[in-house]
Amino acid sequence: MNRKEALEHFEENIAKPAIVNILPVFYEKFRQQKDNFCEKLVNAVEQLLIQVNENEPEVEIATIRISYLQASILDGTYQWQIVAQDKREYLDKKEREIYVTFPEIFTCIEDLESELEKEVRKYVGNLYEGDVRNYKIQAFEKCMGCIYQAGMYAFRQFRKNEIFQHRKTHAVFKIMIGGYMDLMQIIFLQSKEDYEKVKEELYKPGEKKDLDEHQMIYRDYSGIELKEVAKRVEAKNLMFTCFANSRIRYHIFVLCSMIGVNFSESRIDDSGFVGATMQQADFTGAVLQNCDMHASMFYGGEYVDGQVTPGIFSVSFRNSTLHRVNFMCCDLRNCDFEGAKMSEIVLEDAKLQGARIESCYKEMLELTPEQEQEIIWI
């Protein structure tokens, strides 16, 4: 066996199966550590904003880049660089950067490296321990989907920060997460928009290309009132739009992409979200009355190699009020209903595995025996 044959044999029979095997281990570890991961990321960004505010208060921040350093993956420190840049994406001051490490999240990748190094020794003369490095990077990149989810979740937290809200930032503020080639971009439209123009755009018929566009754009429509009679919003990309503290009535959202939409503290009456994708949506403290959620997807799954993994960040209905809400055929796995007040709820054919619901509703909700067993009663 020559070196080329040895590399091919090692990759197909040892490295690739080993990477596939550690992914479930990583996802379980990440679920356990996700709050700590997000807290460290939020604190680091807030510290960076404080540094820039103290040293360069006149600089208008346009971009924050959160980048993993490949060398730190190889040495096991898993260090990330967070930098603030102006509208020219220019960085010229040490005060505009900060570093944070997450080795506790990636222990399974370190175990993978040790395992592969042992296997490499069996290919004496053809393979070397240095050959393992490429597979360690590949394993890390397979885990980036969770990092993206955490980055989006963290952004929702630190944009509420008082320093961020009062800091001088560009009208179109961007967050870049990932490496040089493996990158996700979040765009936050900072300035308030003309709500009449917003409504005009919402009510235009959507097209398939709108849903194929996967830019992570945070639009701030907080406080908007959508109360026109019998309005239909169809096939629109509304990912990460903020409708917090809004009033929505007589509207139906059909086949819309509403991933990460924020409806916290909103009032939604006589409206519907039919066939909508609503992973990572936030209904905390919202009031929903006479609403139809038929066949909508609330389960925050992540696709890896064609397989969907359990949700990382669940949809929150915490402390909400739900009256006459139809969840028929909805995927509500892992949704959090803690503190929610519920009456006349329809859950026929809904998926409820891992959903957290107050135990006082156990007798009130019409559930099949299977649904009752799937729910986490709190």
Side-chain angles (χ1 to χ4, degrees), residues 151-162:
M152 291 183 283
Y153 185 84
F155 177 65
R156 286 166 63 173
Q157 303 306 309
F158 67 69
R159 68 181 281 249
K160 300 175 185 176
N161 180 271
E162 186 175 346

Side-chain angles (χ1 to χ4, degrees), residues 65-327:
R65 290 182 176 271
I66 305 172
S67 308
Y68 64 81
L69 304 179
Q70 193 171 99
S72 72
I73 299 171
L74 297 175
D75 67 21
T77 58
Y78 298 92
Q79 188 177 58
W80 293 64
Q81 180 193 46
I82 305 176
V83 301
Q85 298 174 322
D86 61 21
K87 61 185 177 183
R88 299 171 297 165
E89 297 191 355
Y90 185 65
L91 172 70
D92 66 346
K93 298 269 186 182
K94 186 177 180 181
E95 290 80 6
R96 292 196 206 172
E97 66 179 4
I98 198 168
Y99 292 86
V100 62
T101 59
F102 301 102
E104 66 278 8
I105 302 290
F106 300 101
T107 52
C108 61
I109 295 182
E110 293 302 299
D111 294 339
L112 171 73
E113 182 181 33
S114 299
E115 178 187 336
L116 294 183
E117 285 176 348
K118 291 178 183 176
E119 293 295 327
V120 158
R121 296 178 193 130
K122 298 176 181 178
Y123 296 78
V124 179
N126 287 316
L127 300 183
Y128 310 95
E129 289 188 1
D131 293 321
V132 170
R133 292 185 169 190
N134 182 49
Y135 300 109
K136 187 178 184 183
I137 297 295
Q138 286 183 33
F140 177 83
E141 290 174 347
K142 291 281 188 184
C143 301
M144 284 301 297
C146 289
I147 306 302
Y148 292 154
Q149 286 194 48
M152 291 183 283
Y153 185 84
F155 177 65
R156 286 166 63 173
Q157 303 306 309
F158 67 69
R159 68 181 281 249
K160 300 175 185 176
N161 180 271
E162 186 175 346
I163 296 172
F164 177 78
Q165 291 180 352
H166 293 91
R167 184 70 180 77
K168 188 178 181 183
T169 55
H170 195 264
V172 179
F173 177 80
K174 294 186 292 185
I175 299 281
M176 315 289 280
I177 303 175
Y180 178 70
M181 299 295 289
D182 186 14
L183 188 70
M184 183 192 73
Q185 178 170 274
I186 300 172
I187 302 172
F188 175 48
L189 304 184
Q190 180 85 350
S191 57
K192 283 280 186 182
E193 301 188 44
D194 183 327
Y195 282 160
E196 292 308 312
K197 291 182 179 178
V198 167
K199 293 176 186 179
E200 184 181 329
E201 180 60 32
L202 273 178
Y203 302 146
K204 284 182 182 177
E207 299 178 12
K208 187 178 184 301
K209 65 179 180 64
D210 295 331
L211 298 179
D212 290 339
E213 200 174 301
H214 293 300
Q215 272 190 315
M216 310 302 175
I217 301 180
Y218 281 71
R219 295 180 176 89
D220 189 356
Y221 298 163
S222 55
I224 194 172
E225 292 196 0
L226 301 175
K227 296 191 289 185
E228 289 79 359
V229 176
K231 286 294 185 179
R232 184 181 180 93
V233 180
E234 187 169 354
K236 287 288 186 179
N237 182 356
L238 298 173
M239 289 165 56
F240 305 107
T241 301
C242 179
F243 288 102
N245 299 296
S246 297
R247 181 71 189 266
I248 300 173
R249 192 172 188 182
Y250 304 130
H251 277 63
I252 182 166
F253 297 82
V254 181
L255 300 175
C256 290
S257 178
M258 307 187 79
I259 297 170
V261 170
N262 182 4
F263 287 108
S264 61
E265 306 298 334
S266 291
R267 175 74 187 241
I268 306 173
D269 295 294
D270 305 296
S271 297
F273 301 86
V274 179
T277 50
M278 307 192 77
Q279 296 95 327
Q280 295 193 61
D282 187 358
F283 290 89
T284 302
V287 177
L288 283 74
Q289 183 169 281
N290 299 323
C291 290
D292 184 8
M293 302 286 192
H294 186 265
S296 288
M297 165 71 82
F298 295 88
Y299 175 54
E302 171 66 24
Y303 282 94
V304 179
D305 292 339
Q307 300 295 318
V308 66
T309 67
I312 301 297
F313 296 96
S314 58
V315 172
S316 172
F317 288 95
R318 293 169 69 95
N319 302 315
S320 63
T321 299
L322 308 173
H323 177 61
R324 292 181 180 171
V325 179
N326 178 19
F327 287 113

Side-chain angles (χ1 to χ4, degrees), residues 19-69:
I19 291 172
V20 170
N21 289 337
I22 70 154
L23 291 179
V25 179
F26 170 78
Y27 293 128
E28 183 58 36
K29 182 77 171 180
F30 193 82
R31 277 196 295 277
Q32 295 172 3
Q33 296 279 341
K34 67 180 188 297
D35 293 334
N36 179 51
F37 180 92
C38 290
E39 184 180 0
K40 287 177 72 172
L41 195 59
V42 170
N43 290 341
V45 173
E46 290 179 351
Q47 184 60 43
L48 177 64
L49 292 175
I50 291 171
Q51 287 182 189
V52 175
N53 207 39
E54 290 177 348
N55 294 284
E56 300 178 277
E58 74 287 351
V59 172
E60 187 178 77
I61 299 176
T63 304
I64 289 181
R65 290 182 176 271
I66 305 172
S67 308
Y68 64 81
L69 304 179

